[in-house]
């Protein structure tokens, strides 16, 4: 089993650090460029939402991204201490065939996350949002 943890603060500038750390992790753990791209896309979407919507103050908060690879099953655990939010309960995007102008705002990010990983689980634990993504590598 392989494990890695990245701890960031709730600042958008941290997104580039995540990308860099994922590229290194992908090389070390022998992921394809497509897998690295997809994982980065998923994490960037989720972390951006946490940074924009999870906190009601201007304080710095810690966000933890844990990676666990065992028998080609990757588990990514994202923890934040923001307001309780289960993204799995968000509305599904309306008709994806509509133009951007015709579509309602919201729900598209978690739709893409679900498409790019095999399973998504949410729990509220010790006043933290804990989102676990599972992907077969």
């Amino acid at each position: 089993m392989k494990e890695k943890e990245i701890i960031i603060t709730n600042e958008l500038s941290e997104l580039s650090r995540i990308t860099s750390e994922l590229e290194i992790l992908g090389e070390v753990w022998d992921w394809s460029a497509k897998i690295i791209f997809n994982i980065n896309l998923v994490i960037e979407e989720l972390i951006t939402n946490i940074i924009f919507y999870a906190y009601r103050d201007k304080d710095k908060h810690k966000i933890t991204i844990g990676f666990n690879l065992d028998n080609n099953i990757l588990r990514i655990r994202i923890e934040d201490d923001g307001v309780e939010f289960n993204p799995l309960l968000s509305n599904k995007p309306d008709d994806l065939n509509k133009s951007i102008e015709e579509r309602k705002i919201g729900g598209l990010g978690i739709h893409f996350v679900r498409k790019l990983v095999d399973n998504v689980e949410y729990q509220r634990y010790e006043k933290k949002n804990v989102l676990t993504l599972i992907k077969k590598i």
Side-chain angles (χ1 to χ4, degrees), residues 2-137:
K2 300 174 182 177
E3 294 182 318
K4 167 79 174 168
E5 189 172 87
I6 301 171
I7 298 173
I8 63 168
T9 58
N10 55 321
E11 297 171 298
L12 287 175
S13 61
E14 295 279 50
L15 294 174
S16 62
R17 187 163 72 90
I18 294 169
T19 299
S20 297
E21 297 245 10
L22 274 176
E23 288 173 357
I24 294 168
L25 187 63
E27 281 186 34
V28 173
W29 289 5
D30 198 28
W31 295 343
S32 69
K34 182 179 178 183
I35 290 173
I36 294 169
F37 178 83
N38 287 344
I39 291 171
N40 188 53
L41 188 64
V42 165
I43 290 175
E44 185 174 302
E45 172 64 27
L46 295 169
I47 297 298
T48 300
N49 282 340
I50 291 168
I51 291 170
F52 277 123
Y53 306 114
Y55 304 106
R56 295 193 172 136
D57 58 39
K58 301 285 185 197
D59 298 340
K60 278 193 175 183
H61 294 267
K62 183 173 79 171
I63 301 168
T64 303
I65 309 166
F67 300 87
N68 175 305
L69 181 64
D70 190 20
N71 290 324
N72 294 328
I73 302 294
L74 175 65
R75 293 180 190 280
I76 304 168
R77 182 179 164 110
I78 301 174
E79 291 183 20
D80 70 84
D81 63 347
V83 294
E84 183 173 1
F85 177 69
N86 181 351
L88 303 178
L89 298 178
S90 64
N91 292 335
K92 292 183 177 180
D94 60 346
D95 188 354
L96 295 174
N97 294 321
K98 290 182 179 176
S99 70
I100 291 177
E101 295 81 21
E102 296 173 313
R103 301 190 66 243
K104 294 179 186 173
I105 295 173
L108 203 53
I110 192 64
H111 170 75
F112 286 126
V113 169
R114 286 182 160 156
K115 290 287 185 188
L116 294 174
V117 299
D118 298 306
N119 194 25
V120 182
E121 300 170 356
Y122 170 85
Q123 67 178 17
R124 184 77 177 171
Y125 180 73
E126 294 183 352
K127 297 183 179 179
K128 292 183 178 177
N129 296 301
V130 180
L131 196 64
T132 303
L133 313 168
I134 300 169
K135 180 163 183 64
K136 193 172 190 176
I137 300 290

